Every structure is written in C-alpha cells, then in structure tokens.
Amino acid sequence: MGVRGTRDMKEISFTIDGKKIKAAEGQNILFAALENGIYIPNLCAVREKLEPPASCRLCFVEVEGWIEPVTACTEPVKEGMVVHTKGKFSQRLARTAAELILASHPVDCGHCLKNRSCGLQIIAKHLGIKLRSKRLRRIERNLPIDDSLSIFTFDPNKCVLCGKCVWVCQEQLGIGAIGFTRRGFKRVVSTYQDTPLAESRCSQCGECVKVCPVGALTLKATEKPSFAKGG
Ligand code: FES
C-alpha cells in the first residue's frame, strides 16, 4: 500500500480535488491519490520503497493552508488535509520538471517500442505540454546503446533516471548488475565499470524491463518470455 508499517494504521479522511478519500495514516499523497483514480504525474516513486527518492520532481501538489507546493510522493496524508493537484504553482513546477526531462530525451516516438504506453507521453498529455518544447534547448546525449543481451536492449539516451530498474535489480532481487554512476548531466544507469550487460551480473530475468516507464529498457521483438504480461 505504500505505507510505512501498515498494520494497525489508523484510517484518516482527506480531500483531493474535491473528492473525499480515506487512506491509512502515513500513506503518501501520491499513492493515496493513484489508488483512488486521481492521477498525479510521477516517474521515480515506487509503492514498496520506504524512502522515496523524490528525484523526478513531477508530483508537486498544493495543500490548503501551506505556503509552498510539496512533492506528493514524500508527503504523508493527514486528517482533514485538502489537496489540489492542479494548482497554478504546482503545475508550473511539474511542467518545468517534465520539460527538463524531455529536453534530453529522444523524441522519436514513432520508432520507439514504448510508443503510446510511455510514461513521458502520459505526463506530457496530462500537463498539457509538447514533447518537443520550444522553451528549452534540446541536448543530445549520444550514449552507446547496449544490445549485448539476447533478451532486451538498454538505450541510456532514453533513460529518465527514475531508478526503478536499479531498485528492482539491487533491492528487490539482490543481483546488483546495474546502478547509478557519475554526477549531474552525466549521471547514467550502468553496469560496474560500464561493461556490456552481457558481461555483467545480469541474469536476464527481465524485471528491469517491466518497471521501466519509458523506452530505455525494451524486450527484443523476437523474445516472448513468460514475464511479458503486465508491468
Ligand atoms: S514521483 Fe515524486 S518526485 Fe518523483
């Protein structure tokens, strides 16, 4: 449920966009909203992760009586709280965060296997922004694509650094084939010493492909493994 120590949690009531919602005390606003059919843009949040990385900065909302917008993935719900997901300031912050991600993301959707199910397309549509913004200069990363495995491909140029693949590989599966490396704009998901995935500890389980919200990790067309459902 995305709640810390869920058992015996008190249920509280709060409001999002005029809708009265019941949630376990301590649950964050983001998952309480999503579970009740209210979409808030997000990329880096993982329901099961106790410490949200809050790195994508897409999930800003406004709480009545609070001066500044807050990230919905880090803010626990409280009794009587009144949340707005479409406030002017929070939307402006979320749009800027999305445009910054898109400025270095290859917008070649027609040739991308994630076309129409891509997290960035959903977010851009929700926020009313174009995939190619005129406001920010485009930056191309031109990083090498890792095509060394038979089962999936990793294109770091399309990676949005949400960290879900790293989380599943390291914390859920304990494999640790991939992790974050470098800082700032050069930050990437990579293997130890940047070796091709085929030479890494990768077991080719494909769990990272299931959690990737964009087209950075994609199954090869010829592969039809059993895990291809869902995700
Ligand atoms: S989902 Fe909240 S900062 Fe990424």
Side-chain angles (χ1 to χ4, degrees), residues 153-224:
T153 301
F154 174 48
D155 182 349
N157 301 293
K158 292 182 182 173
C159 176
V160 290
L161 301 175
C162 67
K164 286 179 177 166
C165 56
V166 173
W167 170 76
V168 80
C169 186
Q170 289 186 1
E171 293 179 42
Q172 292 294 97
L173 302 167
I175 297 170
I178 50 175
F180 283 113
T181 180
R182 305 188 186 90
R183 289 176 184 273
F185 184 69
K186 294 194 172 159
R187 190 163 172 79
V188 284
V189 169
S190 183
T191 57
Y192 179 63
Q193 294 191 329
D194 294 334
T195 56
L197 278 160
E199 293 167 30
S200 76
R201 297 160 74 172
C202 176
S203 66
Q204 303 204 48
C205 66
E207 291 298 313
C208 57
V209 179
K210 284 166 73 175
V211 295
C212 179
V214 294
L217 286 157
T218 49
L219 290 178
K220 292 193 171 174
T222 50
E223 295 295 330
K224 287 188 183 145

Side-chain angles (χ1 to χ4, degrees), residues 30-31 34 39-47 49 52-60 71-73 94 97-102 105 114 117-124 127 129 141 158-167 180 210-216:
L30 176 65
F31 287 109
L34 295 176
Y39 179 69
I40 298 173
N42 69 89
L43 281 175
C44 68
V46 175
R47 196 180 299 265
K49 199 166 179 171
S55 56
C56 74
R57 317 309 285 169
L58 288 162
C59 67
F60 279 106
T71 44
C73 65
E99 285 177 341
L100 281 166
I101 295 168
L102 283 162
H105 187 86
K114 269 291 178 80
S117 62
C118 170
L120 280 176
Q121 289 176 325
I122 294 165
I123 289 164
L127 293 172
I129 60 170
R141 288 192 279 185
K158 292 182 182 173
C159 176
V160 290
L161 301 175
C162 67
K164 286 179 177 166
C165 56
V166 173
W167 170 76
F180 283 113
K210 284 166 73 175
V211 295
C212 179
V214 294

Side-chain angles (χ1 to χ4, degrees), residues 130-146:
K130 293 198 184 326
L131 292 171
R132 279 180 187 276
S133 164
K134 292 202 173 119
R135 211 155 69 89
L136 301 176
R137 184 168 62 91
R138 287 201 58 75
I139 301 173
E140 298 203 352
R141 288 192 279 185
N142 292 319
L143 298 166
I145 295 169
D146 189 335

Side-chain angles (χ1 to χ4, degrees), residues 6 15 17 34 50 68 82 85 112 116 123-124 168 201 211 228:
T6 45
T15 306
D17 293 347
L34 295 176
L50 293 183
E68 293 177 350
V82 179
T85 69
C112 180
R116 291 169 205 238
I123 289 164
V168 80
R201 297 160 74 172
V211 295

